[in-house]
Amino acid sequence: RPVDFRKGMDGLAALVRDAIGADPFSGTVYVFRSKRADRVKLLVWDGSGLVLATKRLEAGQFCWPKIEDGVVRLSAAQLAALVEGLDWKRVHAARAVGAPAVAG
């Protein structure tokens, strides 16, 4: 769900703790979106403090998946695609083409 983008790191950390029952100091990257889906905030604990990053797209919107139970889990590659403003659903792990033949 969109969050109030006036919230800072403490308000977002409280939202992580209270709304989804997670630990905002675990090192997990938490991503929040604005109502218009043109802005995101990323909150992460780096081991010494909370880091809050914000990005606004100049044109278009971030591609958001359907959210079930208030949480979406993305791989690092999918998160990178989302933050770049790309369609994260098109990011997939590389498939093994097959083991190379070995002459013996």
Side-chain angles (χ1 to χ4, degrees):
R1 290 179 291 214
V3 299
D4 180 352
F5 253 53
R6 295 173 291 184
K7 288 185 183 289
M9 62 180 61
D10 293 328
L12 293 173
L15 189 61
V16 167
R17 185 188 63 237
D18 299 338
I20 62 174
D23 180 7
F25 305 104
S26 67
T28 300
V29 178
Y30 296 96
V31 183
F32 304 91
R33 76 176 187 104
S34 66
K35 186 174 184 179
R36 293 184 304 226
D38 64 339
R39 293 172 289 158
V40 293
K41 285 187 176 183
L42 289 84
L43 181 72
V44 64
W45 173 260
D46 72 354
S48 64
L50 282 173
V51 176
L52 180 63
T54 304
K55 181 166 184 176
R56 179 187 67 215
L57 292 177
E58 292 301 318
Q61 297 179 328
F62 289 97
C63 178
W64 283 91
K66 289 183 181 179
I67 300 171
E68 298 174 12
D69 300 329
V71 176
V72 174
R73 287 177 175 75
L74 300 174
S75 69
Q78 290 169 328
L79 175 61
L82 177 101
V83 172
E84 286 296 324
L86 303 173
D87 185 349
W88 67 271
K89 293 176 285 191
R90 296 178 181 252
V91 177
H92 300 285
R95 289 183 284 182
V97 183
V102 177

